Amino acid sequence: MENLLRPLIVVGGSVVLTLLIGWATDLLLRKADARHGETPLWGLLRRGRIPYQLVLCAALLRGSYDQARLLEEHRVGVGRTLTLVLIGAAAWLVIRIAAAVVETSYSRYARVHRDAARVRRVRTQVSLIMRVVAAVVGVVAVAAMLLTFPAMRAAGASLLASAGVLGIVAGVAAQSTLSNMFAGLQIAFGDMVRIGDTVVVDGEWGTVEEITLTFLTVRTWDERRITMPVSYFTSKPFENWSRGTPQMTGIVHWHVDHTAPMEAMREKLRDILRECPAWDGRACGLSVTDTTPNTMQVRALVTAKDADDIWTVRVTVREQMIRWLAQAHPYALPRVNTADAAPAPGRVPGPSPSPDGAARRVHEPPRTIR
């Protein structure tokens, strides 16, 4: 009977004690979260209750396993397994606690500072810091697990002795990976590009959605995802429309006839912008920027508070101006002449001698094709 009750009491007591301690800890965290609603720390710490209970259970079983006298012929293997579980659960718990602390610090910073650019910069740095912390903790946990095996401890000296050679070989083999990792750290702390920035890379316009130590994801306006190595942003030029202030200036071009009413177009542009909510009211203007034998190029200058609004303003101005010209001034639309130009001032239209002496009549007035 003692051989049956002893392991049952030891194992069952460890499990029950783990559940009780876990329940009590979770209850305290819930009360703290309800009492301190201004900080999300206590609610975030509750995410670590599963690894917390695993650590407790593995530690209790590892410390009391010898008293249970269960599977004594496999005592070494069971003890080593419990040790591995304890190390893995402890690493998992450390990562959860670090994530809760870092996320709480970021939330507090975002509430205090109203500058969106600074908040995005801190968010980018925080996300990369968490990835580095998780990688370091994972490496340390794996190393601790390996050191639990006697064969690995015996080989430790030889591994340390050859660490220099292995480091050189690994550096040459993983040159591109290491360069991307250092580029990711440079982007995070150099404030070159941040999560949420509007960028133009390789002719594609989009928003930075994710930044890791090795790659960066850009979500385009048509909801495609472009994944690029972070080293691209440290070695090639790119447009960052969110750098500094998000305010932007946009232009709209039209090709119109030389007889287009410029003053009326300027007045119409102001009317269109007054009715456009996306226009921020900072500036507007309309000028002739170029001419061709058949048309002249007109440019409108408009402003908005960010990249999304400048796109709305540009398409609104372009569409409504074309509609107004077609309805009120159709002659201002581009035309193609199919006849000779009008005679010079002071010249009386009439027969003119042709090279062979025969009379040649002046052409009829020019016709146009729309």
Side-chain angles (χ1 to χ4, degrees):
M1 183 64 68
E2 181 181 357
N3 294 333
L4 180 62
L5 290 177
R6 184 187 296 271
L8 184 61
I9 292 175
V10 171
V11 176
S14 299
V15 174
V16 171
L17 187 60
T18 297
L19 294 177
L20 288 176
I21 296 177
W23 175 80
T25 305
D26 189 64
L27 181 62
L28 292 176
L29 290 176
R30 285 203 304 267
K31 290 183 177 180
D33 188 32
R35 185 178 304 174
H36 303 282
E38 71 281 0
T39 175
L41 175 62
W42 309 110
L44 293 175
L45 286 176
R46 294 186 61 214
R47 298 179 181 176
R49 58 184 178 271
I50 295 179
Y52 174 67
Q53 292 178 351
L54 281 177
V55 169
L56 289 176
C57 186
L60 291 174
L61 289 176
R62 185 68 182 87
S64 60
Y65 177 73
D66 292 337
Q67 303 298 326
R69 296 178 182 177
L70 180 65
L71 300 176
E72 292 184 345
E73 64 275 11
H74 301 290
R75 182 171 57 86
V76 177
V78 173
R80 186 168 297 156
T81 301
L82 291 175
T83 302
L84 294 178
V85 173
L86 178 60
I87 295 174
W92 187 6
L93 180 61
V94 169
I95 293 175
R96 286 295 177 88
I97 294 175
V101 173
V102 171
E103 191 169 346
T104 301
S105 302
Y106 167 72
S107 301
R108 187 176 303 169
Y109 183 89
R111 286 198 307 268
V112 174
H113 295 81
R114 301 299 180 183
D115 189 354
R118 294 180 64 183
V119 172
R120 289 199 303 269
R121 180 184 63 187
V122 173
R123 180 184 173 187
T124 303
Q125 295 174 353
V126 164
S127 63
L128 289 177
I129 288 174
M130 274 308 307
R131 294 178 185 274
V132 172
V133 169
V136 171
V137 172
V139 170
V140 172
V142 171
M145 289 179 180
L146 293 177
L147 291 176
T148 59
F149 297 91
M152 297 302 299
R153 289 198 299 267
S158 60
L159 288 175
L160 292 175
S162 60
V165 178
L166 291 177
I168 296 175
V169 174
V172 174
Q175 183 177 2
S176 60
T177 302
L178 292 176
S179 65
N180 280 330
M181 292 181 62
F182 286 116
L185 295 175
Q186 183 179 354
I187 285 177
F189 297 97
D191 198 23
M192 299 174 59
V193 62
R194 300 153 296 195
I195 296 176
D197 281 2
T198 301
V199 297
V200 179
V201 290
D202 285 344
E204 295 284 352
W205 177 88
T207 304
V208 178
E209 188 176 54
E210 183 182 7
I211 300 178
T212 68
L213 288 176
T214 56
F215 68 88
L216 185 147
T217 302
V218 177
R219 177 172 54 85
T220 61
W221 63 273
D222 54 356
E223 298 185 355
R224 290 180 293 118
R225 267 68 175 179
I226 301 177
T227 301
M228 310 182 70
V230 292
S231 59
Y232 175 92
F233 293 87
T234 59
S235 60
K236 295 182 180 180
F238 65 95
E239 297 182 29
N240 189 343
W241 292 4
S242 302
R243 185 76 173 179
T245 61
Q247 297 175 345
M248 296 196 66
T249 299
I251 57 175
V252 182
H253 284 109
W254 298 279
H255 285 276
V256 297
D257 192 75
H258 294 92
T259 59
M262 296 303 303
E263 291 300 327
M265 290 181 65
R266 292 188 178 97
E267 188 64 31
K268 182 61 179 178
L269 174 63
R270 288 190 285 268
D271 294 341
I272 294 173
L273 292 176
R274 291 190 193 102
E275 299 176 359
C276 182
W279 182 53
D280 62 359
R282 287 190 297 122
C284 68
L286 191 142
S287 306
V288 177
T289 57
D290 198 4
T291 59
T292 66
N294 295 320
T295 62
M296 61 181 179
Q297 187 182 66
V298 179
R299 185 197 69 184
L301 185 144
V302 294
T303 58
K305 64 181 180 63
D306 55 30
D308 293 335
D309 282 354
I310 199 64
W311 173 264
T312 303
V313 174
R314 291 176 61 195
V315 297
T316 301
V317 169
R318 184 183 295 110
E319 177 184 350
Q320 295 191 18
M321 184 66 75
I322 291 294
R323 184 188 304 139
W324 175 75
L325 287 175
Q327 294 175 355
H329 303 279
Y331 61 88
L333 298 176
R335 296 179 293 176
V336 179
N337 292 328
T338 60
D340 293 340
R347 180 178 177 182
V348 180
S352 57
S354 60
D356 56 0
R360 180 174 62 85
R361 298 184 61 85
V362 177
H363 289 285
E364 296 179 357
R367 297 172 296 166
T368 61
I369 296 178
R370 294 193 182 279

